[in-house]
Amino acid sequence: MKAKYILAIGLIGVLIAVVLTMYGDASSYVTFDQAALNPGREYHVVGELEKDSTMHYDPIKDPNHLEFFLRDSLNNVCKVVFNNPKPADLDRSEKVVIVGKMNPENNVFHASSILLKCPSKYNDGTLETKEYKTGV
Amino acid sequence: MNETITFTGEHLLVGNLGKISIYLSFAAAIFSFLSYFISTTQATGAGTDTHFWRRLGRAGYFVHGTAVFSIFGLLFYIIQHHYFEYQYAWQHSSTELPLRYMISCFWEGQEGSFLLWMTWHVVLGMVLIFTTKKWESPVMAVVALAQIMLTSMLLGTELFGYKLGSNPFNLLRDVMEAPIFSRPNYLQLIADGNGLNPLLQNYWMVIHPPTLFLGFAAAIVPFAFAVAGIWTRDFSGWIKPALPWTLFASMILGAGIIMGGFWAYESLNFGGYWAWDPVENASLLPWLILIATAHTMLIYLKSGKALYTTFLMAIFSFLLVLYATFLTRSGVLGNTSVHSFTDLGMSGQLLIFLFLFLWLPSVLATPKQWIRMSYAVLSVIVLAANLTFGYIEWLSVSFMCAVLLYLFVSIYRITPAKQGAEEEMSSREFWMFIGALVFVISCFHIIAVTSIPVWNKLFGTQFAPAADVFQAYHSVQLPVAIVLGLLIGFTQFFKYKKTGEKHWLRSVLEVAAITLVLTIGMVLVFEISNPLYVFFALAGIFAIVGNATYILKVLKGKISVAGSAVSHIGFGLMLVGVLISSAKKQVISINQTGTSYGDNFDEKTNRENVLLWKNTPVLMGSYEVTYTGDTLVFPNTHYKVQYKGYDREKGAYTGEIFTLMPNAQINPKMGLVANPDTRHYLTHDIFTHVTSVPDKEATAKAPFDNFKTTEMRIGDTLKTNNGWAILERVTPNASDEVPGLKDADFVLTAHLKVITLTDSLTARPVYAIKGDMHASVEAVLQEAGLQFKLANILVDKTNVANTRFVIESAEKPPLQDYIIMKAIIFPYINLLWGGTIVMVIGFLMALLQRYRGRNRGQQKQNPLPTAAAEQPVPSVL
């Protein structure tokens, strides 16, 4: 009988430890300002692509270097560097989630991954029609 | 507003038949459930009636099954015939879709995947009807109840103002608002459907989802048996018939998960087989608990212990299927998963589905009739309050937690404990039980991390998933795997109940010695330095050696009873394969150019893509890699990448040569959808995928400029920025057809040899005359960025050699032909695939062994006397 209770208590202990680990590993959604306060830590920043400012990607010079500007929820704009080829649908994306950390020296956000939310053909139901006219 | 218009070209009959089939299957499921329910509750009363009701239940289920199959067939008919007036066909298929992928349309949409799930339940239900004998009524009542819930997802009707499910036979014009639907001939304007997501157009995606859904569907059987055990108060008799089903579900679900991993590895571009994506995790959760269930069932059958745990495990394995369904289909995952389904407004219905099956075992386990009644009434009130006033968060959450807690308590209270049983450390069941608990820990952790968006919704927090997803999962799952490997290695040497310790110790020490030698060898060969990885390797090898020894020494090579040991060897091989292929995976496409980005950022990880100019070789690892061109196989572009083995030290080719064809679909709607290509060797794989390509279409569309008119004689050279052009000769054409000018009097073709920096090409502009009209056809060389037009011919009648040809040349930047690609070497990944196959075979062997045992051991006594005679079957109604 004793072993049963020891096991039960042990299991509960491990489960609590697991929850604490999860709590410790979880990141959080922040703005660029908050990410800058803690430069060593990786954060999620949700924002929109600054379409007016230039996106820089010159694959011939360096295929692993993409620069663009992102506007976060507080309307702060920050330069983002992503050391990977440019995601093909970045230009079309409405919302961008970047994961990475701030470089305090030059205030550039170094993204380790990018999540794009695009108006997808396969998810929403925007209607695509073609009209055929006669007598062209 | 549509009523007044008569639409032309629609095929409404098939859709109406489909809708009728859905309603029929729903009604028949309810009928079957009620009949089986009555049959079960009357089981203790007059025996004659139960047969009558059972037969009705069967009849209802057959009608339901027939209706479900006809829904499946009709929907397929619509897709196959491209009836785009139906929203499902329009959204998930297109005319160019090959027949073999039409079946994949079923699991691109939510409705189709529910249908697939239901269809498997129908098939499994038929098997259950014919094999479960006395368990048929309660088990089938549970299955029929699940079918009611699943069919309701397809109803698409309004009930008291609530939309129930989403009907796959809805017409496009009823679902969508658009001006074209006011035209009677709107169907002629819809040229094509949306098409199937290119990622699903892969043969693995044809067989992987049905396998996975069969596993999901089979998970209901142990659940239904456990509920039946509680319901009929036969607490122990259900385990024996349920065990083969548990093994079956584990085997199929395991195979489905592995196929998913293999599909990801073969055709997704993240460079691996497992990404801890929520959708992947969702399929893993029930699998872990199913395996734990099989183990605790064995413990009970052999020693009479762990009955309570077995009940909980069997119940939760199916609840996790439902939770996984909720997680991936309710839209709650939002930003965190790339491939979850979008919300169809069914999250409420999915929650009720989950809640009903959480509630069911607890209400049946309540012994007193009046408590049961008030519990049921209370639950209905909570549900009604939620439906009337909208989702009441605090009420629902606290009620759900209370029900969850009560489930644990109520089952604990009715489960008979084995009297005077003392846990014996030197018994097999003790360590198997520990193993089952480790599975629970593993599962709990994956739920906790994957459900972060759910916690945010429940508690109003703002957590994001871990920035380093792999680290977040591995911090717990790696130690879990190590513990499991070690447990698997030595537990088999114990006997059930009690083992002589000396005997056990000798066997395990032998195994440990061999393991240690092998591990040291492996650590040295593969230069593994991370201590956690060393333990991981040790655990895997220990599991393999332990179980191989067990088969040889204890079972004396009797393979017919070695199912579990074979499975365990498979698991050990998997661990070793996972370790080597991930820890020693090597990205060879390290870029050498580019600028530095500062010291705090890891340089190496940021340079994993290389740009390859066409026909320009680049050294990568021990290969000389050349991109030699592309071919269009609609809708994909295949890029030819040639690998030549090269020994850097000797400075010579090794003679190894092969070509990989990674492909990419430059989809205007989805961007670049890239599929990798992999060269498989026994000891390693070379994985290659294209990460970016220049937009050739945009370059091709760019206009020419820098127009220049030159008069040339034969042999003259024309210099442009992009290259030189030599007019070699001008020849008359055999054909007198020139675009824009019919029946020309004569047609001439100029032959210009064009020499660029990298290439030598020929341009052939054409010139035609008819009477006083003339026409020219330009020759366009996109790859050189040049265009030539033969605009006029100035004939010198006195000296033919002096005849001048007026060439109009134009330039633009030449087409850039390059690819950006990534190449990864995965060493010994075949150990992983081999291990998983061995594990599945082990499950199959164990399943066959239990199946044979089922027929042989009919007379054997159950460890516990059944309590069926003493307690009446509760009736909820």
Side-chain angles (χ1 to χ4, degrees):
Chain A
M1 274 321 252
K2 263 185 212 154
K4 198 194 243 173
Y5 293 112
I6 295 170
L7 276 186
I9 293 166
L11 180 67
I12 292 167
V14 172
L15 293 188
I16 291 171
V18 162
V19 172
L20 292 179
T21 321
M22 179 209 100
Y23 183 80
D25 284 338
S27 165
S28 43
Y29 293 106
V30 297
T31 55
F32 285 121
D33 291 347
Q34 289 164 290
L37 292 178
N38 202 346
R41 241 194 98 136
E42 287 205 87
Y43 286 108
H44 284 57
V45 179
V46 184
E48 278 168 33
L49 213 60
E50 268 289 282
K51 298 226 159 117
D52 301 336
S53 54
T54 47
M55 184 183 297
H56 177 76
Y57 182 63
D58 184 0
I60 294 160
K61 206 175 135 211
D62 185 354
N64 295 298
H65 187 83
L66 166 71
E67 284 179 18
F68 60 93
F69 289 85
L70 196 77
R71 180 184 292 275
D72 71 7
S73 53
L74 291 179
N75 270 328
N76 291 323
V77 177
C78 183
K79 185 173 168 183
V80 181
V81 169
F82 182 52
N83 291 126
N84 262 304
K86 179 182 157 189
D89 36 11
L90 182 63
D91 301 293
R92 303 186 305 116
S93 63
E94 288 176 350
K95 208 165 113 190
V96 182
V97 184
I98 49 173
V99 186
K101 48 194 168 185
M102 208 68 164
N103 186 348
E105 288 159 29
N106 50 6
N107 265 336
V108 168
F109 192 89
H110 284 253
S112 56
S113 67
I114 296 182
L115 263 168
L116 301 174
K117 289 270 135 182
C118 301
S120 167
K121 173 181 185 182
Y122 298 99
N123 289 328
D124 70 3
T126 44
L127 197 59
E128 185 194 18
T129 48
K130 283 178 197 158
E131 196 150 9
Y132 294 97
K133 285 178 191 164
T134 48
V136 174
Chain B
M1 64 172 192
N2 284 338
E3 274 79 352
T4 52
I5 309 168
T6 317
F7 295 103
T8 54
E10 288 183 336
H11 308 79
L12 296 180
L13 177 69
V14 58
N16 288 334
L17 282 176
K19 282 188 177 173
I20 291 169
S21 301
I22 291 178
Y23 302 142
L24 178 64
S25 72
F26 185 64
I30 294 177
F31 179 80
S32 173
F33 165 71
L34 289 177
S35 305
Y36 274 126
F37 184 89
I38 296 168
S39 163
T40 310
T41 48
Q42 291 196 341
T44 48
T48 45
D49 277 317
T50 62
H51 288 295
F52 170 71
W53 286 109
R54 186 160 65 190
R55 271 204 293 273
L56 279 188
R58 275 183 197 177
Y61 205 78
F62 285 136
V63 173
H64 167 76
T66 314
V68 168
F69 274 109
S70 70
I71 302 171
F72 203 95
L74 290 167
L75 191 58
F76 188 76
Y77 185 84
I78 284 175
I79 293 171
Q80 198 198 351
H81 286 82
H82 309 301
Y83 291 164
F84 294 130
E85 58 267 42
Y86 292 99
Q87 191 247 350
Y88 201 86
W90 174 77
Q91 189 157 6
H92 302 295
S93 72
S94 61
T95 47
E96 73 216 19
L97 197 67
L99 185 73
R100 62 184 182 280
Y101 295 137
M102 278 182 189
I103 195 94
S104 301
C105 300
F106 276 89
W107 32 96
E108 196 193 46
Q110 285 224 35
E111 299 91 339
S113 61
F114 277 123
L115 192 55
L116 180 69
W117 190 357
M118 281 163 59
T119 311
W120 282 129
H121 271 175
V122 167
V123 174
L124 295 174
M126 298 294 173
V127 178
L128 285 170
I129 285 174
F130 289 112
T131 56
T132 45
K133 296 182 183 112
K134 74 160 187 144
W135 291 98
E136 181 189 332
S137 292
V139 165
M140 285 306 295
V142 175
V143 175
L145 185 62
Q147 288 299 80
I148 296 174
M149 297 309 290
L150 283 173
T151 318
S152 76
M153 307 285 173
L154 302 185
L155 282 179
T157 44
E158 295 234 333
L159 195 73
F160 308 119
Y162 297 97
K163 192 176 159 258
L164 270 183
S166 168
N167 196 312
F169 295 104
N170 277 338
L171 291 175
L172 189 56
R173 61 179 154 94
D174 291 338
V175 179
M176 223 172 275
E177 291 276 337
I180 64 155
F181 294 127
S182 58
R183 298 163 70 160
N185 64 341
Y186 79 95
L187 263 180
Q188 291 170 8
L189 304 176
I190 300 173
D192 204 351
N194 240 335
L196 184 69
N197 188 328
L199 289 176
L200 297 182
Q201 298 181 30
N202 177 293
Y203 55 94
W204 283 107
M205 278 318 274
V206 180
I207 67 163
H208 149 67
T211 314
L212 208 59
F213 272 102
L214 178 58
F216 276 176
I220 199 177
V221 185
F223 174 87
F225 268 107
V227 170
I230 293 170
W231 195 359
T232 60
R233 296 296 188 263
D234 180 352
F235 295 114
S236 54
W238 64 277
I239 293 182
K240 200 161 183 157
L243 177 58
W245 283 101
T246 313
L247 291 169
F248 174 75
S250 315
M251 175 180 80
I252 299 292
L253 191 54
I257 293 170
I258 291 152
M259 283 179 196
F262 196 68
W263 166 67
Y265 178 68
E266 284 287 293
S267 57
L268 292 188
N269 50 18
F270 66 80
Y273 42 84
W274 195 260
W276 294 108
D277 184 274
V279 176
E280 290 173 323
N281 295 347
S283 59
L284 188 62
L285 295 173
W287 189 61
L288 293 172
I289 298 303
L290 276 170
I291 294 175
T293 312
H295 283 87
T296 59
M297 280 176 166
L298 265 177
I299 295 175
Y300 179 76
L301 290 177
K302 296 289 185 182
S303 72
K305 290 175 193 163
L307 181 57
Y308 174 58
T309 321
T310 308
F311 265 118
L312 289 182
M313 294 283 183
I315 287 169
F316 274 94
S317 52
F318 183 63
L319 289 181
L320 284 169
V321 169
L322 296 182
Y323 182 68
T325 310
F326 169 74
L327 214 54
T328 49
R329 286 153 190 271
S330 65
V332 69
L333 290 173
N335 285 336
T336 59
S337 171
V338 246
H339 54 287
S340 62
F341 289 92
T342 42
D343 190 9
L344 279 184
M346 282 201 241
S347 46
Q349 220 173 331
L350 288 166
L351 263 185
I352 292 173
F353 191 8
L354 172 62
F355 183 77
L356 179 68
F357 279 81
L358 176 67
W359 177 85
L360 186 69
S362 70
V363 78
L364 290 174
T366 308
K368 286 203 177 70
Q369 172 114 22
W370 70 270
I371 304 181
R372 213 158 44 229
M373 287 298 285
S374 20
Y375 182 29
V377 169
L378 181 68
S379 311
V380 171
I381 291 173
V382 172
L383 179 67
N386 268 305
L387 289 178
T388 321
F389 304 108
Y391 177 62
I392 309 164
E393 195 173 291
W394 63 269
L395 179 67
S396 312
V397 171
S398 47
F399 190 69
M400 245 188 178
C401 291
V403 170
L404 185 64
L405 206 65
Y406 180 63
L407 177 70
F408 285 100
V409 176
S410 59
I411 294 177
Y412 185 77
R413 289 187 52 185
I414 60 158
T415 316
K418 192 172 162 80
Q419 291 305 310
E422 200 65 34
E423 277 79 8
E424 182 60 63
M425 289 269 287
S426 67
S427 69
R428 190 187 283 183
E429 64 267 23
F430 179 83
W431 295 103
M432 276 169 78
F433 191 76
I434 301 279
L437 292 187
V438 174
F439 271 107
V440 171
I441 292 168
S442 163
C443 182
F444 183 83
H445 174 248
I446 298 173
I447 294 175
V449 181
T450 311
S451 308
I452 283 177
V454 179
W455 312 142
N456 284 344
K457 272 242 161 79
L458 286 182
F459 307 116
T461 44
Q462 275 291 308
F463 287 116
D468 185 346
V469 177
F470 285 91
Q471 199 268 327
Y473 284 101
H474 292 176
S475 62
V476 172
Q477 300 302 328
L478 243 55
V480 158
I482 293 172
V483 173
L484 281 179
L486 295 178
L487 283 172
I488 284 171
F490 70 76
T491 302
Q492 297 264 42
F493 294 104
F494 287 113
K495 290 196 174 72
Y496 284 107
K497 288 167 188 152
K498 198 174 165 109
T499 311
E501 262 155 49
K502 260 190 198 163
H503 159 81
W504 171 80
L505 202 62
R506 207 177 49 229
S507 307
V508 173
L509 281 179
E510 273 175 32
V511 172
I514 302 171
T515 304
L516 209 60
V517 172
L518 288 176
T519 310
I520 291 172
M522 195 175 126
V523 167
L524 292 178
V525 169
F526 292 103
E527 297 168 348
I528 300 166
S529 49
N530 185 331
L532 196 60
Y533 292 174
V534 175
F535 277 112
F536 200 91
L538 183 97
I541 294 174
F542 189 62
I544 299 168
V545 176
N547 283 281
T549 314
Y550 176 77
I551 294 177
L552 291 176
K553 285 203 163 167
V554 181
L555 300 180
K556 309 268 187 279
K558 236 179 99 184
I559 211 76
S560 61
V561 289
S564 65
V566 169
S567 250
H568 291 156
I569 290 177
F571 185 79
L573 286 171
M574 233 176 87
L575 291 189
V576 176
V578 165
L579 178 79
I580 305 177
S581 65
S582 345
K584 289 284 126 187
K585 105 174 175 185
Q586 193 196 354
V587 179
I588 56 172
S589 54
I590 299 296
N591 188 40
Q592 311 294 342
T593 61
T595 45
S596 160
Y597 312 115
D599 296 331
N600 4 5
F601 297 96
D602 188 358
E603 294 275 319
K604 199 175 129 274
T605 56
N606 294 337
R607 308 204 169 283
E608 297 185 338
N609 298 279
V610 161
L611 185 139
L612 287 183
W613 288 101
K614 189 176 172 181
N615 294 329
T616 311
V618 170
L619 269 184
M620 285 184 209
S622 54
Y623 292 100
E624 187 192 87
V625 185
T626 319
Y627 160 54
T628 58
D630 58 4
T631 45
L632 185 74
V633 183
F634 189 80
N636 294 314
T637 310
H638 293 257
Y639 299 92
K640 282 194 279 278
V641 181
Q642 191 193 56
Y643 280 76
K644 268 169 123 173
Y646 184 77
D647 193 324
R648 280 175 191 248
E649 280 165 29
K650 288 181 191 159
Y653 293 109
T654 58
E656 181 191 356
I657 183 164
F658 58 89
T659 301
L660 290 179
M661 302 272 274
N663 66 67
Q665 194 177 120
I666 303 155
N667 190 309
K669 293 278 173 62
M670 287 193 57
L672 185 81
V673 181
N675 285 320
D677 192 16
T678 305
R679 174 80 173 178
H680 299 279
Y681 285 102
L682 192 60
T683 55
H684 64 282
D685 278 5
I686 297 143
F687 173 97
T688 301
H689 82 95
V690 173
T691 46
S692 184
V693 288
D695 190 348
K696 284 189 183 173
E697 215 168 298
T699 321
K701 275 185 194 150
F704 281 96
D705 59 2
N706 228 354
F707 286 92
K708 201 163 82 178
T709 308
T710 318
E711 291 178 12
M712 293 175 85
R713 292 181 191 83
I714 304 287
D716 279 357
T717 301
L718 165 67
K719 290 177 185 174
T720 72
N721 292 326
N722 293 347
W724 292 3
I726 303 158
L727 182 62
E728 289 191 314
R729 60 186 192 280
V730 177
T731 54
N733 251 28
S735 159
D736 56 3
E737 278 289 316
V738 170
L741 197 71
K742 273 184 184 169
D743 304 324
D745 295 336
F746 72 93
V747 182
L748 288 176
T749 301
H751 298 257
L752 287 149
K753 188 177 180 182
V754 181
I755 299 162
T756 66
L757 275 175
T758 52
D759 240 335
S760 175
L761 309 149
T762 311
R764 294 190 185 89
V766 175
Y767 181 77
I769 284 182
K770 183 188 183 185
D772 54 355
M773 295 200 296
H774 67 93
S776 296
V777 181
E778 300 97 339
V780 179
L781 299 177
Q782 291 287 1
E783 55 270 57
L786 286 171
Q787 172 185 287
F788 298 98
K789 180 178 172 184
L790 183 52
N792 203 355
I793 300 172
L794 307 171
V795 185
D796 188 337
K797 284 187 180 155
T798 53
N799 182 4
V800 180
N802 198 31
T803 297
R804 282 152 297 150
F805 300 91
V806 180
I807 302 281
E808 275 180 24
S809 63
E811 305 168 27
K812 67 176 178 182
L815 195 68
Q816 293 173 333
D817 204 355
Y818 65 82
I819 55 169
I820 297 172
M821 57 157 259
K822 193 168 180 172
I824 309 173
I825 291 185
F826 288 99
Y828 290 97
I829 195 160
N830 280 339
L831 278 179
L832 168 64
W833 306 128
T836 55
I837 292 167
V838 170
M839 188 164 69
V840 169
I841 291 173
F843 273 118
L844 184 65
M845 290 166 65
L847 174 65
L848 293 174
Q849 186 187 336
R850 292 296 142 196
Y851 187 75
R852 282 194 304 269
R854 189 191 69 132
N855 295 336
R856 209 186 308 124
Q858 286 296 357
Q859 309 91 332
K860 263 194 188 173
Q861 259 240 265
N862 283 324
L864 270 178
T866 58
E870 292 138 43
Q871 280 166 292
V873 174
S875 119
V876 185
L877 296 176

